[in-house]
Amino acid sequence: MENIYLIVGLGNPGREYARTRHNAGFLLAERLARRWQATWEDASKFRARVALMKRKGQRLVMCQPQTYMNASGEAVGLVAGFYKVPASRVMVLVDDADLPLGEIRMRSKGSSGGHHGLDSVSEHLISGDYPRLRIGLGRRERNVRQITDYVLGRFSPDEEALLEIILARASDQVECWLDEGIEKAMNRFNGAVVAAP
């Protein structure tokens, strides 16, 4: 089997959604692309932006679905199918309001936790057995399920400063997954990201 991986950042396309909390997956994918000097291209046949690159003998496909969050799986299924990437090598980068801001959590598989973007990916990959990296957003009110305004809002200046540290650490975690496997990536990086004093 070819040493190929698909890294998917989930978010919403368009200027009005840029740098909103719900686009944390997009932001991490963009950070990784800059780190790896990959170039994004519009791929209308996939309904996505795609960046292709090679790294340490691996072939990497990066994807930002342009379908809006709740239909993300349409693009992911098309890209994974075209490049013949098995679900176990599809890493999905996604926001999570149920994790505190500043916490990252990688898992090898699992439920969507009510996240509609993950629901869509699972539907189109016909499996929930794909790794995902959740980026904590926190919640303003713990017992309120309707949080659309919060996740579609932008980070405060203080949160933006912490976000840069989170994205750097999450990028390191993705590289660890590629280089050493998911167990080491989870053990070494899962948990709270601490801001510099």
Side-chain angles (χ1 to χ4, degrees):
M1 181 190 300
E2 186 182 11
N3 199 15
I4 187 167
Y5 295 83
L6 172 57
I7 299 170
V8 179
L10 297 190
N12 287 310
R15 186 175 299 171
E16 67 269 37
Y17 297 108
R19 297 199 73 82
T20 58
R21 294 180 179 91
H22 214 22
N23 274 28
F26 268 18
L27 296 173
L28 179 51
E30 288 161 6
R31 171 65 67 95
L32 285 165
R34 286 195 302 274
R35 180 181 283 200
W36 297 333
Q37 298 180 326
T39 302
W40 292 102
E41 295 183 3
D42 291 324
S44 58
K45 68 179 179 180
F46 299 136
R47 302 182 67 197
R49 293 175 75 218
V50 173
L52 306 175
M53 59 162 297
K54 291 192 175 173
R55 175 187 177 275
K56 296 185 178 181
Q58 301 160 334
R59 187 176 177 206
L60 304 184
V61 182
M62 300 188 67
C63 169
Q64 287 182 318
Q66 300 295 291
T67 52
Y68 292 94
M69 180 67 82
N70 293 357
S72 296
E74 295 175 18
V76 177
L78 288 170
V79 175
F82 182 84
Y83 289 102
K84 298 180 172 57
V85 185
S88 62
R89 291 189 178 193
V90 178
M91 173 63 72
V92 178
L93 316 172
V94 63
D95 64 287
D96 189 336
D98 290 323
L99 287 180
L101 180 67
E103 188 165 322
I104 58 175
R105 183 180 298 165
M106 185 179 284
R107 290 283 185 264
S108 61
K109 58 185 177 181
S111 74
S112 70
H115 194 290
H116 298 309
L118 290 177
D119 281 334
S120 179
V121 172
S122 298
E123 176 188 347
H124 288 271
L125 290 180
I126 319 172
S127 173
D129 293 349
Y130 56 88
R132 69 283 313 268
L133 171 51
R134 296 176 184 265
I135 303 162
L137 300 181
R139 287 176 180 268
R140 286 219 173 92
E141 300 174 67
R142 293 299 314 165
N143 298 321
V144 176
R145 292 307 302 170
Q146 181 52 257
I147 56 169
T148 303
D149 289 344
Y150 177 68
V151 297
L152 293 181
R154 286 183 165 75
F155 294 96
S156 70
D158 286 347
E159 290 171 339
E160 279 278 359
L162 177 58
L163 179 65
E164 291 307 306
I165 300 167
I166 294 165
L167 294 177
R169 185 167 174 84
S171 297
D172 291 343
Q173 186 172 30
V174 172
E175 289 191 334
C176 182
W177 168 68
L178 290 168
D179 295 341
E180 301 182 62
I182 196 151
E183 292 297 329
K184 286 194 175 174
M186 291 191 302
N187 291 338
R188 196 174 300 164
F189 292 94
N190 280 356
V193 176
V194 180

